[in-house]
Amino acid sequence: MKNTRIVFWALCLFFCSAEAGEGKDCVSSSVKAAYWPSIKISLMPPASINAPLYSHILYGFAQMNNHTFKLEGEKMMADFTATVQKKNPCVKTLISINGGGSNALALALMTTNPIHRAVFIKSAIALARRHAFHGLDLDWEFPTNTTEMENLGNLFSEWRHAINLESRSSGRPPLLLTAAVYYAHTFVIYGEHRSYPTASIAKNLDWVNVMCYDYKGSWDTSATGAHAVLYDHSSNISSSYGITSWIESGLPPEKLVMGMPLYGKSWVLKSQNQTGIGAPAVAAGPKQSTSDESGIMFYSEITDFVREKHATEVFDTESVSAYSYAGELWVGYDNPDCVAAKVKFAKKRGLLGYFFWAISQDSNWTLSTTALESWDKYL
Ligand SMILES: *[C@@H]1O[C@H](CO)[C@@H](O)[C@H](O)[C@H]1NC(C)=O
Ligand SMILES: *[C@@H]1O[C@H](CO)[C@@H](O)[C@H](O)[C@H]1NC(C)=O
Ligand SMILES: *[C@@H]1O[C@H](CO)[C@@H](O)[C@H](O)[C@H]1NC(C)=O
Ligand SMILES: *[C@@H]1O[C@H](CO)[C@@H](O)[C@H](O)[C@H]1NC(C)=O
Ligand SMILES: *[C@@H]1O[C@H](CO)[C@@H](O)[C@H](O)[C@H]1NC(C)=O
């Protein structure tokens, strides 16, 4: 066992530049990340990921067994890091846990009990190390009340402690620890107020991935909507408001990574004469072939739609959002102009970086490339 390790490290000195992603040429002061949904592997096998466009790739998702509280792996994890590092030896990988639409109640239950938390943490660290990931990300959507937020803070603190211990005993750099969070620091859903545990986050996480999207959607079919606006002067539902709320809560900007969508939200227009943001609508847009969910269009599907239907495309500078329409179909999304403006905003505010959901939805890597170039352009 020991000998194999030594041989491995000797080989690695030549082939993986020390520990891949941690060599001295791999120092990255910013985060340019994207989530890769394993459920959509057919759209984007790991070997097809254009890894040089990203500093970090998040494998989504691993699930916790709700009886044992252990994190469970997927077969595809085994080669993931090695595969994406073939194209970019510096890219780092994280396992993202849970995800939107997954069992949030099970996480709530696990976090109430210190013994269950310890089991979960130990299994998560072991899973990341077993498959050569560089970190772990928790995507709990969402803690429902103040107690759950406190438990989340306890989880982060014990998790960081365990990660530091593991790093000391293994002699390896500590695993990254991050979380995907709501666009605003304090929020109300179903009448329940809650705030994230900023002090614990600042102390224990490397950063948070702020989900600055899904502000509008098929739950309201009466009007079209821009689902990831940077600005909205008439409400607090905007990325600038959300990011500011995080900073005002006391989280240093360099712990914030701003999310951008690689998908749009679509509606069926009521009248082809009213085509703006907030125009009357009658239904969510129809399912498309790859996104396969009504009211959703991937950016790749949107660029096809614009080209094939000769759709009119508008960049709304006031909200920083784009929309296109042709016939009765309307879709709101981020185009390259939006991405450039948002990246500039993130950089001006001193944020650590940006991330995309999700890697398989871009159109010929256009938005990912725009973001990368914009980040490096604005000083
Ligand atoms: C536990 O998971 C199973 C299967 O994944 C699910 O059917 C069940 O509802 C879950 N139980 C709880 C308490 O979340
Ligand atoms: C918070 O929600 C949990 C359900 O996850 C519930 O058991 C608990 O009583 C709630 N706490 C408060 C203070 O409302
Ligand atoms: C927006 O948030 C601020 C506090 O950050 C609050 O005072 C104000 O009432 C909110 N406005 C709306 C329209 O919700
Ligand atoms: C659009 O407006 C024109 C002129 O106002 C009107 O004649 C036409 O019926 C309208 N079309 C629709 C689809 O509402
Ligand atoms: C995709 O992008 C590459 C590089 O920017 C470009 O050369 C190629 O023509 C694009 N392909 C399509 C189908 O747009």
Side-chain angles (χ1 to χ4, degrees):
M1 188 63 189
K2 245 194 165 128
N3 283 341
T4 18
R5 264 189 87 97
I6 289 164
V7 171
F8 172 75
W9 284 113
L11 287 173
C12 207
L13 279 177
F14 290 98
F15 295 114
C16 359
S17 70
E19 183 153 6
E22 281 145 14
K24 65 173 161 39
D25 300 334
C26 287
V27 175
S28 162
S29 55
S30 56
V31 169
K32 296 154 177 161
Y35 281 83
W36 179 78
S38 64
I39 197 166
K40 295 281 186 183
I41 187 168
S42 57
L43 285 183
M44 180 67 61
S48 304
I49 296 174
N50 195 351
L53 295 178
Y54 312 104
S55 63
H56 297 79
I57 298 174
L58 296 108
Y59 181 115
F61 291 101
Q63 300 301 331
M64 183 189 72
N65 179 306
N66 64 13
H67 297 293
T68 63
F69 300 105
K70 287 184 182 170
L71 192 62
E72 295 186 332
E74 291 186 340
K75 257 206 190 103
M76 284 178 282
M77 284 176 180
D79 303 327
F80 187 77
T81 298
T83 303
V84 295
Q85 285 191 336
K86 274 189 191 134
K87 288 188 185 162
N88 175 6
C90 291
V91 74
K92 295 189 180 182
T93 56
L94 294 90
I95 297 176
S96 186
I97 300 164
N98 205 242
S102 295
N103 194 342
L105 208 62
L107 287 183
L109 193 63
M110 176 272 287
T111 54
T112 58
N113 183 323
I115 297 168
H116 296 160
R117 291 199 297 262
V119 167
F120 170 77
I121 287 168
K122 192 176 171 200
S123 68
I125 293 173
L127 185 67
R129 287 304 195 199
R130 190 179 321 133
H131 296 314
F133 282 82
H134 303 86
L136 293 158
D137 172 68
L138 182 68
D139 183 6
W140 176 356
E141 300 187 20
F142 293 99
T144 61
N145 60 31
T146 304
T147 312
E148 290 187 11
M149 285 295 193
E150 280 170 16
N151 294 339
L152 179 65
N154 292 335
L155 177 77
F156 288 155
S157 137
E158 291 157 11
W159 209 340
R160 169 57 61 192
H161 182 67
I163 281 175
N164 289 344
L165 282 182
E166 188 278 341
S167 169
R168 255 174 266 151
S169 72
S170 69
R172 307 176 65 182
L175 290 171
L176 295 167
L177 184 62
T178 68
V181 295
Y182 201 61
Y183 85 96
H185 165 262
T186 298
F187 58 105
V188 183
I189 303 178
Y190 300 127
E192 190 82 49
H193 278 261
R194 72 209 80 164
S195 299
Y196 279 97
T198 295
S200 174
I201 289 173
K203 189 156 179 251
N204 300 307
L205 297 195
D206 289 282
W207 71 81
V208 285
N209 294 313
V210 187
M211 294 186 273
C212 296
Y213 39 72
D214 289 344
Y215 306 150
K216 304 281 166 149
S218 58
W219 57 87
D220 181 2
T221 54
S222 69
T224 64
H227 83 98
V229 288
L230 186 53
Y231 302 108
D232 183 349
H233 299 300
S234 66
S235 87
N236 284 342
I237 306 173
S238 69
S239 305
S240 59
Y241 173 83
I243 292 292
T244 303
S245 78
W246 274 102
I247 294 171
E248 284 177 351
S249 82
L251 193 65
E254 64 271 19
K255 293 245 166 178
L256 287 166
V257 170
M258 187 174 82
M260 294 185 284
L262 291 176
Y263 60 95
K265 296 288 181 87
S266 62
W267 282 267
V268 175
L269 291 168
K270 187 170 186 190
S271 156
Q272 290 178 28
N273 285 2
Q274 287 175 273
T275 55
I277 297 169
V282 294
K287 278 188 188 183
Q288 307 291 309
S289 59
T290 45
S291 51
D292 197 28
E293 194 182 327
S294 53
I296 302 273
M297 285 173 80
F298 292 166
Y299 187 59
S300 53
E301 293 170 325
I302 294 167
T303 54
D304 288 351
F305 163 70
V306 169
R307 193 180 55 246
E308 285 161 16
K309 305 289 185 214
H310 307 287
T312 306
E313 185 175 40
V314 179
F315 171 47
D316 183 62
T317 51
E318 198 176 318
S319 62
V320 182
S321 69
Y323 59 93
S324 290
Y325 55 92
E328 58 177 17
L329 183 57
W330 189 101
V331 58
Y333 56 97
D334 277 0
N335 72 0
D337 291 329
C338 302
V339 166
K342 286 180 171 187
V343 166
K344 187 174 180 180
F345 167 90
K347 208 152 180 197
K348 272 187 153 171
R349 289 293 186 95
L351 307 191
L352 180 62
Y354 60 82
F355 78 88
F356 286 108
W357 176 272
I359 214 164
S360 41
Q361 305 168 0
D362 205 344
S363 172
N364 195 24
W365 309 104
T366 307
L367 297 182
S368 303
T369 306
T370 301
L372 182 73
E373 289 172 352
S374 304
W375 183 272
D376 294 339
K377 191 164 85 191
Y378 300 119
L379 299 175

